[in-house]
Amino acid sequence: MDRSVIVKALNQNEQKQTLTRADDVVLSVNGVSKKFCRDLKRSLLYGVQDITADLVGLRRESDRLRPKEFWALQNVSFQLRRGEALGLVGKNGSGKSTLLRVIAGLIKPDAGSVDVCGRIAPLIALSAGFNPILTGRENIYANMSILGLSQKEIDERFDQVVEFAEIGDAIDAPVQTYSSGMTARLGFACAIHTEPDILLIDEVLAVGDAKFRSKCTRKLAELRAKGTSFIFVSHNSMAIMAVSTSAIYLQKGKLIAGGTPDKIVEMYEEDLFLGNTKVIQGKMTIPEKSPSNSSGVDITSICLKNLESNTIDSLTSGESASFCVGFKAHRSFSAVSLRIEVREVGGENNTILFLSGWLEQGVFDISTGNHEIQIQMPYVCFKPGVYVASVNLRKDSSYIFDTVESFTFVVRGDSKMSRCSFYQPHSWKLVTL
């Protein structure tokens, strides 16, 4: 399916959901744009000009960039509803943190508006609102008062904050002596115990031990059940899908699409890992070699096929498919086998799959002419992503007839693969004991 059609469908679905639940909207971002300047001197000059214009009431919204300026956000619009967990994904520099700062009121948009219904608790940085010289106790009072609580309310919740943060005797030590994990726990504990209507979280859950991250995830689920909404920014796709109920995708300051977390993460990861990678669509055809360059057997094509033996553009996790290598033999040979090695594009360059016909009785005697070896897979066990395969044809275990170093292909998935590293073939059965 064409990419523009997918994006349009996701955006239309998001608009329909917004219309049907308009009464629950707690945050509305309307055509927000924000520009910055890459030149320090010009940035200071523009800042003075803008402040002066604000003071005299002459500043107006502008869709024009001045020299050295760029759009960090451009015409971004979406709504957040009560109890919704919105994941925000995009590459570094796509405008995610800028958007959170605009929503939190830390910076002013150059165009558009942000309408908030309720209290916002921004958890945008680990030490946000913390004075390193003050103790943890003093910072709790200072931080939570900034977030809108009275001293009486802070007194009532102080013990809960300390218990959640798990910093023990360090509560009366200066925050500058805390580790990053301790600071994260204290900052998170302060934010969630303000009982906000909207919680903004920017990569904070990436710091801290596994036990603390699990505890935070459970607490977020409890808050959402009570009606708290939050926007969650992370480069961890699994965290986005585990925590979020919906997601939006930012690219170079523009909102590309919104929809379910698994679909948005899949779209984001394809853009992230594909980049300029050339993905083979359909059959990869290799030009025929001259007799002087041939070793006797030449690879002529590589493709993916479904159960009906039709060539397909991509694989799907959990479905049947065949990996097919066509070749031409210029004379008869015995003990011919195929070997493939697959790695994930954007991964850690580890071998994901290694198959050798020589090791698995996939050895054939071939006659002169055209042939095709098929590796038939009852289930594709790859997780969704982009992969590259190295393929070679051999005689016996060592002599290589021909090699194709790079056959790139895509594996797609659905909701059952949204949180998996591989597909496990399985069935369900009820046993009465």
Side-chain angles (χ1 to χ4, degrees):
M1 184 181 292
D2 182 67
R3 178 63 172 275
S4 61
V5 176
I6 297 175
V7 172
K8 184 177 180 181
L10 288 169
N11 286 330
Q12 287 177 343
N13 182 59
E14 182 73 9
Q15 291 170 3
K16 289 178 182 178
Q17 293 178 358
T18 299
L19 291 174
T20 58
R21 301 174 59 189
D23 293 341
D24 294 332
V25 173
V26 294
L27 172 68
S28 182
V29 177
N30 309 301
V32 165
S33 297
K34 180 63 183 177
K35 54 190 175 185
F36 292 115
C37 182
R38 291 189 172 92
D39 184 272
L40 178 59
K41 291 183 179 180
R42 285 183 180 272
S43 179
L44 294 173
L45 174 62
Y46 294 155
V48 171
Q49 292 175 345
D50 292 341
I51 291 173
T52 303
D54 281 337
L55 291 175
V56 299
L58 296 178
R59 188 179 180 188
R60 297 179 180 178
E61 292 186 356
S62 175
D63 58 357
R64 294 184 179 181
L65 294 176
R66 293 170 288 193
K68 299 293 184 178
E69 285 188 328
F70 68 97
W71 290 113
L73 293 172
Q74 191 169 14
N75 195 29
V76 174
S77 299
F78 67 90
Q79 292 182 327
L80 181 69
R81 290 167 288 279
R82 191 171 306 282
E84 182 181 7
L86 179 67
L88 183 55
V89 301
K91 298 179 182 179
N92 288 328
S94 61
K96 303 186 299 299
S97 295
T98 299
L99 179 57
L100 291 192
R101 282 169 168 77
V102 169
I103 293 172
L106 300 177
I107 56 176
K108 183 179 179 181
D110 291 298
S113 63
V114 177
D115 299 322
V116 179
C117 180
R119 174 187 290 164
I120 288 184
L123 197 55
I124 297 175
L126 296 179
S127 57
F130 286 171
N131 186 322
I133 300 175
L134 299 181
T135 66
R137 182 186 300 274
E138 293 166 336
N139 269 292
I140 289 175
Y141 279 90
N143 187 272
M144 296 183 76
S145 63
I146 291 173
L147 294 177
L149 270 66
S150 66
Q151 181 166 340
K152 180 181 178 181
E153 290 174 317
I154 300 174
D155 289 339
E156 293 171 349
R157 304 173 194 186
F158 181 83
D159 289 340
Q160 298 174 25
V161 172
V162 175
E163 181 181 358
F164 188 93
E166 299 177 358
I167 57 177
D169 296 336
I171 189 65
D172 289 312
V175 166
Q176 64 185 0
T177 65
Y178 289 9
S179 67
S180 60
M182 293 170 67
T183 307
R185 293 199 298 271
L186 185 59
F188 192 88
C190 289
I192 61 175
H193 284 92
T194 61
E195 296 182 0
D197 297 288
I198 303 169
L199 183 62
L200 308 180
I201 309 170
D202 188 2
E203 290 289 1
V204 174
L205 299 187
V207 179
D209 56 34
K211 181 181 177 182
F212 172 69
R213 293 196 299 270
S214 177
K215 184 177 181 179
C216 291
T217 302
R218 291 195 303 272
K219 188 63 178 181
L220 290 176
E222 292 175 10
L223 290 173
R224 193 165 68 83
K226 295 178 181 178
T228 298
S229 307
F230 55 88
I231 300 178
F232 179 58
V233 174
S234 177
H235 286 101
N236 185 333
S237 299
M238 299 300 287
I240 289 288
M241 290 187 287
V243 172
S244 306
T245 57
S246 60
I248 59 175
Y249 176 19
L250 284 182
Q251 188 180 85
K252 295 181 179 179
K254 296 181 179 180
L255 197 156
I256 302 300
T260 59
D262 56 318
K263 295 298 182 184
I264 296 302
V265 167
E266 179 181 350
M267 183 182 297
Y268 162 62
E269 289 190 338
E270 281 193 20
D271 289 345
L272 182 66
F273 293 135
L274 276 176
N276 297 321
T277 302
K278 182 179 179 181
V279 176
I280 304 300
Q281 300 293 334
K283 179 181 289 188
M284 177 183 184
T285 303
I286 294 93
E288 186 174 348
K289 293 182 175 63
S290 64
S292 60
N293 291 328
S294 174
S295 298
V297 178
D298 303 323
I299 297 175
T300 57
S301 66
I302 303 176
C303 66
L304 308 169
K305 293 184 179 181
N306 58 19
L307 284 176
E308 291 74 35
S309 296
N310 297 320
T311 301
I312 54 179
D313 290 338
S314 61
L315 299 175
T316 302
S317 296
E319 294 188 2
S320 302
S322 295
F323 191 98
C324 306
V325 177
F327 59 94
K328 182 177 182 179
H330 296 283
R331 60 185 180 86
S332 298
F333 289 96
S334 61
V336 175
S337 64
L338 178 68
R339 191 179 81 166
I340 68 169
E341 187 171 357
V342 179
R343 288 182 167 84
E344 185 179 8
V345 176
E348 297 179 356
N349 203 37
N350 296 325
T351 298
I352 303 298
L353 178 68
F354 177 84
L355 296 176
S356 171
W358 177 258
L359 299 176
E360 301 178 15
Q361 290 77 50
V363 179
F364 306 96
D365 295 333
I366 60 172
S367 58
T368 303
N370 293 304
H371 306 273
E372 183 178 81
I373 294 179
Q374 299 183 352
I375 303 175
Q376 298 176 336
M377 300 175 286
Y379 300 96
V380 173
C381 293
F382 295 127
K383 69 177 182 180
V386 183
Y387 298 84
V388 60
S390 172
V391 180
N392 62 60
L393 274 173
R394 296 173 171 241
K395 176 176 171 54
D396 300 320
S397 62
S398 56
Y399 184 80
I400 299 176
F401 285 118
D402 200 4
T403 298
V404 173
E405 292 292 346
S406 179
F407 174 77
T408 308
F409 61 94
V410 172
V411 177
R412 304 190 184 279
D414 51 28
S415 59
K416 66 177 178 289
M417 278 297 298
S418 63
R419 301 181 186 182
C420 303
S421 295
F422 70 97
Y423 176 79
Q424 172 61 58
H426 61 280
S427 61
W428 301 91
K429 182 180 180 181
L430 173 65
V431 178
T432 302
L433 302 176

